[in-house]
Amino acid sequence: MIVLTIAVGVVVGLVVGALGAGGGILSVPILVFLLSQDPHAATAESLLIVLVTAVVSLVFRACREKVAYREGVLFGGLSVVGSVLGARATGYVSPATLLLMFSALLVGVSVLMGARAVGQWRNYWTHFEGEIVRGNAQETTQKSTSIRAASKQRAPQWLPLLLLATVCGLMTGFFGVGGGFIVVPLLVLALKMPIKQAASTSLVVMIIASIAGLAGRFDMWSQIDGGVVAMFTLGSAVGGAAGAPLSRRARDYQLTAVFAALLAVVAIFTAMRTLI
């Protein structure tokens, strides 16, 4: 059991380190179905695991990649109230209902990210073919224009940002996950942030949201299995440190596609096991 817990922790850490998300969506089903934890206790345990893993992953990413700390702290701060409210609301639903709602949410996000991956793939090949025709000089001009336009697109607008952050906090607190699986799509789809930067920035939001979610679950702390959490976190932290360099070797559309596929697989598995 010790070896199994550490091993699955390493896998979860690799996903968080490489994608900047996915720790909670993997750790909750693993804790429930593989390590026999109560679903409500697993939501609290997963937040603690994701918190430590996100901190370790952020340290390694911050040294080599651009992290939008302002947007991350702002988004995370605005999501705190929703995260606490969501954490309190989760106690009013049955474990089976919680897991089925969790699966439905993942399916929706997976579809959105899958569509985004297709768009990124098309843009990549269009840009690649254009480089051959236009030459280096025109390419440089277009990149500069694209960077300026992206900067304007990523400028936060308060009302949409507040609404998105509140929804993210509610989902994070309710389902007991770090929020990366919600934050990464929101940063990509709503703020037009590149997937790699969104993956790094989401770790900042995950840290804040996990702390808020744990605070909202103060009455569940006694149900946390300290031994399982410690071993899982150890493996997850190691995997997080090793996973960060993997993201630098992949293109944006590849990371987005992997993320979408991961969400779909976890959603199907969780729904089938819950119904069975």
Side-chain angles (χ1 to χ4, degrees), residues 185-210:
L186 289 180
L187 294 178
V188 171
L189 301 173
L191 301 183
K192 309 302 180 183
M193 188 177 291
I195 183 68
K196 291 183 180 180
Q197 186 180 32
S200 299
T201 304
S202 72
L203 294 171
V204 178
V205 183
M206 288 167 64
I207 292 171
I208 298 174
S210 296

Side-chain angles (χ1 to χ4, degrees), residues 151-165:
S151 298
K152 293 180 181 179
Q153 288 178 330
R154 290 197 298 269
Q157 298 179 0
W158 285 101
L159 182 57
L161 190 64
L162 176 61
L163 293 175
L164 292 174

Side-chain angles (χ1 to χ4, degrees), residues 21-260:
I25 64 173
L26 290 179
S27 62
V28 170
I30 287 173
L31 287 168
V32 173
F33 297 119
L34 194 59
L35 301 179
S36 303
Q37 300 294 299
D38 175 78
H40 284 110
T43 60
E45 293 168 345
S46 71
L47 282 177
L48 186 57
I49 293 167
V50 170
L51 172 60
V52 176
T53 307
V55 170
V56 174
S57 299
L58 180 62
V59 169
F60 281 85
R61 279 179 174 268
C63 298
R64 301 179 181 179
E65 299 178 15
K66 183 177 180 181
V67 180
Y69 288 102
R70 185 188 68 171
E71 287 83 353
V73 173
L74 179 62
F75 201 101
L78 293 174
S79 70
V80 166
V81 174
S83 184
V84 174
L85 291 177
R88 301 309 304 160
T90 191
Y92 294 96
V93 300
S94 67
T97 301
L98 179 64
L99 292 174
L100 290 175
M101 293 174 67
F102 181 60
S103 301
L105 176 65
L106 295 186
V107 169
V109 178
S110 175
V111 171
L112 290 176
M113 292 305 288
R116 177 66 178 179
V118 173
Q120 288 177 328
W121 177 79
R122 290 177 177 173
N123 291 337
Y124 170 77
W125 285 107
T126 300
H127 178 70
F128 178 77
E129 293 172 353
E131 282 183 337
I132 300 176
V133 176
R134 290 190 297 265
N136 293 332
Q138 190 174 358
E139 172 194 355
T140 302
T141 301
Q142 289 184 344
K143 281 187 176 181
S144 300
T145 303
S146 177
I147 291 173
R148 289 195 298 270
S151 298
K152 293 180 181 179
Q153 288 178 330
R154 290 197 298 269
Q157 298 179 0
W158 285 101
L159 182 57
L161 190 64
L162 176 61
L163 293 175
L164 292 174
T166 302
V167 172
C168 173
L170 286 170
M171 297 298 178
T172 299
F174 187 81
F175 293 108
V177 295
F181 75 100
I182 300 176
V183 177
V184 172
L186 289 180
L187 294 178
V188 171
L189 301 173
L191 301 183
K192 309 302 180 183
M193 188 177 291
I195 183 68
K196 291 183 180 180
Q197 186 180 32
S200 299
T201 304
S202 72
L203 294 171
V204 178
V205 183
M206 288 167 64
I207 292 171
I208 298 174
S210 296
I211 294 174
L214 283 170
R217 280 176 165 74
F218 61 89
D219 56 342
M220 298 181 187
W221 291 356
S222 60
Q223 303 177 34
I224 293 177
D225 189 327
V228 170
V229 170
M231 290 182 290
F232 201 117
T233 303
L234 174 62
S236 185
V238 173
L246 296 178
S247 66
R248 293 189 293 273
R249 301 179 181 180
R251 302 189 185 280
D252 286 357
Y253 71 85
Q254 293 172 332
L255 289 176
T256 307
V258 170
F259 192 16

